Amino acid sequence: MPSNPIVHVAGARPNFPKLAPVVAALDQSGVAQRLLHTGQHYDERLSGVFFRELGLPEPDANLGVGSGSHAYQTAAMMTALEDDFLSTPPRAVVVYGDVNSTVAAALVAAKLHIPIAHVEAGLRSGDRAMPEEINRIVTDSIADVLLTTSSDADANLVAEGVAPERIHLVGNTMIDTLLRLRPQFDRGAAARLGADGAYVVATLHRPSNVDDPERASTLVSALHGIAEVATVVIPLHPRGGARLREAGLAEHPRVIATDPLGYLEFMGLVEGSAAVVTDSGGIQEETTVLGVPCFTLRSTTERPVTITHGTNRLSAIQTVVAEVAEAVAAGRPADWPVPELWDGQAGPRVAERLLATL
Ligand code: UD1
């Protein structure tokens, strides 16, 4: 039924910059689209500000699911999505990344026999203790069209038995958003927050880093060590922010802890930084394109291309202070590679593939 809409499902902050270029590119073709927000992220600073700054249309529906355990949240999303898909049957469902909203929508669509496209398919950390890894594996195993950001993802999918004709290397739609909005980055953010001179941006929100008070306290000691070398600006995600504060995060005079920032503010801050310390997935990719040294406080990454073709490296609490100090002293690299097809044109490639296949 060609007049049925292509339905995009998103719900959490990292979905929004990946989705915007696909919606914009499909708009050009005049195809009917709907945008469903599951409500996984509901704070203005994790959701509303992104819709405005990215120029996303208001969602056609917000399912208002909110927070809860993984089972509760995923189940509530599935129930609400099933109602929506039954009342307005999609021509296809497009899901993004690896959050609970992604896997919930894919499961519902699969059982209603609706074709599924997964943007950012094939990434694997190999660490099944990460909820996102489970979401990636399940989503890819039931998606019909697997749109990848890098050739390592293609190889992962082939190794899992996915037929090569279902895999399409399209590049990175999140980087489309970055390149489009770069002229508008808020370059006054650092000064407004009180950072002068060389500064380091930190973001930490993974359960493996912030859920355990002992681990959080060791992380805070490392951030204080980095603050001896450069001011540390750390926008706090609601998950774990309180734990990091309880561990004494803000007690160092050169640590600036803030609420979550909007897209333009945060990207302006990162673009002007001497280095980034993070456990985020997306920031590993954004720093790669911006040429900012990135130290990922994890033992694995699902984005190895940011190490082989970018400025990212895996780091440990024991070594991160010395590594960041070295990077700050060395200054930003003059030249660095950028992965293939991270060129600002991934959205149109996704749209073309969706229209050809679904
Ligand atoms: C989710 C994603 C993660 C992504 C992150 C980016 C999953 C499994 N994880 O993690 O991959 O990197 O988003 O932000 O989907 N909360 C608020 N306000 C909100 C939303 C959440 O205060 O608008 C708080 C609640 O206490 C909630 C906690 O944050 O329980 C965790 O939220 P949740 O959506 O479950 O996971 P994130 O940690 O945000």
Side-chain angles (χ1 to χ4, degrees):
M1 276 185 286
S3 59
N4 291 1
I6 291 182
V7 175
H8 308 267
V9 180
R13 181 169 63 178
N15 290 154
F16 309 133
K18 296 169 191 169
L19 161 90
V22 180
V23 171
L26 282 172
D27 243 354
Q28 300 282 317
S29 73
V31 70
Q33 308 189 62
R34 290 185 82 221
L35 170 54
L36 297 184
H37 192 314
T38 62
Q40 176 173 350
H41 284 176
Y42 42 86
D43 279 359
E44 159 65 19
R45 287 179 168 158
L46 296 187
S47 181
V49 64
F50 283 78
F51 274 72
R52 282 195 305 284
E53 293 186 347
L54 271 45
L56 273 166
E58 280 291 306
D60 293 280
N62 188 321
L63 309 175
V65 166
S67 302
S69 70
H70 284 270
Y72 164 81
Q73 191 180 56
T74 310
M77 287 174 190
M78 287 181 67
T79 310
L81 286 165
E82 186 178 58
D83 285 345
D84 191 280
F85 294 172
L86 288 172
S87 68
T88 312
R91 164 178 170 182
V93 169
V94 190
V95 297
Y96 297 82
D98 55 17
V99 300
N100 286 346
S101 302
T102 310
V103 72
L107 280 166
V108 174
K111 297 207 175 175
L112 293 175
H113 308 156
I114 301 165
I116 304 162
H118 183 203
V119 173
E120 197 189 90
L123 299 184
R124 296 289 182 270
S125 68
D127 175 4
R128 291 196 179 195
M130 285 179 83
E132 292 82 1
E133 183 77 351
I134 306 299
N135 295 345
R136 293 178 196 121
I137 293 168
V138 173
T139 303
D140 286 338
S141 71
I142 54 180
D144 302 281
V145 180
L146 296 119
L147 301 150
T148 59
T149 51
S150 51
S151 52
D152 56 278
D154 296 20
N156 291 336
L157 293 168
V158 170
E160 288 175 16
V162 177
E165 57 273 19
R166 286 167 51 206
I167 306 168
H168 308 280
L169 177 60
V170 289
N172 193 324
T173 61
M174 195 184 67
I175 300 305
D176 289 19
T177 296
L178 183 152
L179 296 174
R180 173 172 68 93
L181 291 178
R182 195 169 185 183
Q184 295 166 50
F185 286 178
D186 178 357
R187 298 186 169 83
R192 259 197 330 275
L193 291 166
D196 48 6
Y199 63 90
V200 171
V201 176
T203 80
L204 296 164
H205 74 286
R206 294 253 160 244
S208 59
N209 274 331
V210 297
D211 281 5
D212 171 38
E214 213 170 297
R215 170 87 182 171
S217 155
T218 327
L219 274 173
V220 164
S221 302
L223 292 172
H224 287 178
I226 295 170
E228 294 297 319
V229 179
T231 302
V232 174
V233 184
I234 177 161
L236 292 173
H237 187 281
R239 169 189 272 284
R243 194 145 289 143
L244 292 172
R245 282 190 190 277
E246 280 156 24
L249 177 67
E251 280 161 23
H252 193 291
R254 291 225 288 179
V255 170
I256 302 171
T258 76
D259 285 337
L261 302 177
Y263 182 78
L264 298 174
E265 236 179 343
F266 182 70
M267 293 312 301
L269 192 67
V270 169
E271 188 191 38
S273 69
V276 167
V277 175
T278 192
D279 59 10
S280 151
I283 295 171
Q284 298 173 50
E285 299 183 341
E286 288 159 340
T287 49
T288 276
V289 171
L290 294 172
V292 177
C294 179
F295 298 88
T296 297
L297 277 175
R298 288 172 43 189
S299 52
T300 58
T301 178
E302 59 290 330
R303 293 164 160 89
V305 74
T306 61
I307 296 177
T308 54
H309 292 71
T311 53
N312 184 29
R313 67 175 104 155
L314 296 180
S315 187
I317 290 190
Q318 298 77 6
T319 56
V320 70
V321 178
E323 288 172 344
V324 171
E326 198 182 311
V328 172
R332 295 258 299 258
D335 234 338
W336 65 95
V338 171
E340 186 194 357
L341 299 181
W342 291 22
D343 58 359
Q345 293 305 313
R349 283 192 286 266
V350 170
E352 194 184 327
R353 185 51 61 188
L354 294 178
L355 293 170
T357 340
L358 297 173

